[in-house]
Amino acid sequence: MNLLLIEDDPSIVAALELSLTRLGYAVTTADRDPGADLPTLVHAADAVVLDIGLPGEDGFGLCRRIRTFSAVPILMLTARGDDIDMVAGLESGADDYVLKPVSPRVLDARIKANVRRVETTVEPAASSTETLGDLVLDRDAADVLRDGVSLGLSPTEKRLVFAFADHRGQVLSRDQLLRLAWDQDFLGDSRLVDNAIQRLRSKVDSTDGPSHIETVRGFGYRFVP
């Protein structure tokens, strides 16, 4: 598997490059924004591991730029554990948020989980479009629309909507949503779900009505058309 690691701490780069290479990765490294080479490096990668605190443009900006031309899995690797930073990372288009220090084997598992999830997402569906309330889900195009206009959801937000559509009327726990949208059984942080749901509500709810995503206290979330 080809991995692009963008990290400015040489000790972390050396340790992860050595460990991940032993686990079978072909690792390409950069210590900052690669500039004009970014599209070439990203298109050659199966996944990107991205630090936030980079010299020059930070990881948030770099992630947003990658999302303009690629749906490659992006994992934020950072020492920042605040909810605000996690929300900013996911808002910028990252698929996962991994806190330092992390063992190479855990990082390996998180990378593979995100790559598997993308491969599953792009499998052709039996039917191209379906409706969920006033939303139209186009699985072939991996998009969610209202009134013919794309809602501009991130890859994670789209997977959450697809998960709710596959389990209509059901309450889905945070663990279930981690498995369905992040393909993680035990490595994920439930705050990922809460933060992603909060962002998703801001995009799929109308300003003058109740939320489409109901919180069921003590259980999880349910989509209400």
Side-chain angles (χ1 to χ4, degrees), residues 38 42 48 50 60-75 89-96 114 117-118 153-156 158-159:
L38 181 65
V42 169
V48 176
L50 180 61
F60 298 135
L62 201 51
C63 185
R64 283 192 290 271
R65 196 140 54 84
I66 292 173
R67 280 289 171 251
T68 63
F69 62 83
S70 174
V72 66
I74 300 175
L75 294 84
L90 297 173
E91 283 279 7
S92 66
D95 297 280
D96 204 352
N114 279 279
R117 182 262 312 148
V118 169
L153 304 185
S154 71
T156 299
K158 292 172 187 174
R159 292 193 296 275

Side-chain angles (χ1 to χ4, degrees), residues 5 12-23 25 27-29:
L5 171 62
I12 294 177
V13 171
L16 288 180
E17 185 176 19
L18 177 62
S19 300
L20 293 172
T21 299
R22 287 175 175 171
L23 291 170
Y25 290 85
V27 182
T28 300
T29 65

Side-chain angles (χ1 to χ4, degrees), residues 86-149:
M86 182 182 292
V87 170
L90 297 173
E91 283 279 7
S92 66
D95 297 280
D96 204 352
Y97 196 92
V98 182
L99 289 178
K100 300 176 184 174
V102 61
S103 77
R105 290 200 175 276
V106 169
L107 182 58
D108 169 48
R110 298 281 283 264
I111 294 169
K112 288 177 178 174
N114 279 279
V115 171
R116 281 199 306 271
R117 182 262 312 148
V118 169
E119 290 173 347
T120 300
T121 300
V122 300
E123 288 179 356
S127 176
S128 175
T129 63
E130 59 188 292
T131 59
L132 182 66
D134 59 350
L135 306 179
V136 174
L137 283 59
D138 187 340
R139 296 192 189 236
D140 283 353
D143 203 1
V144 178
L145 309 95
R146 177 185 284 125
D147 299 329
V149 178

Side-chain angles (χ1 to χ4, degrees), residues 79-90:
R80 302 182 187 180
D82 291 344
D83 284 354
I84 292 175
D85 289 317
M86 182 182 292
V87 170
L90 297 173

Side-chain angles (χ1 to χ4, degrees), residues 132-134 168 212 223-225:
L132 182 66
D134 59 350
R168 295 169 188 263
H212 278 305
F223 193 94
V224 181

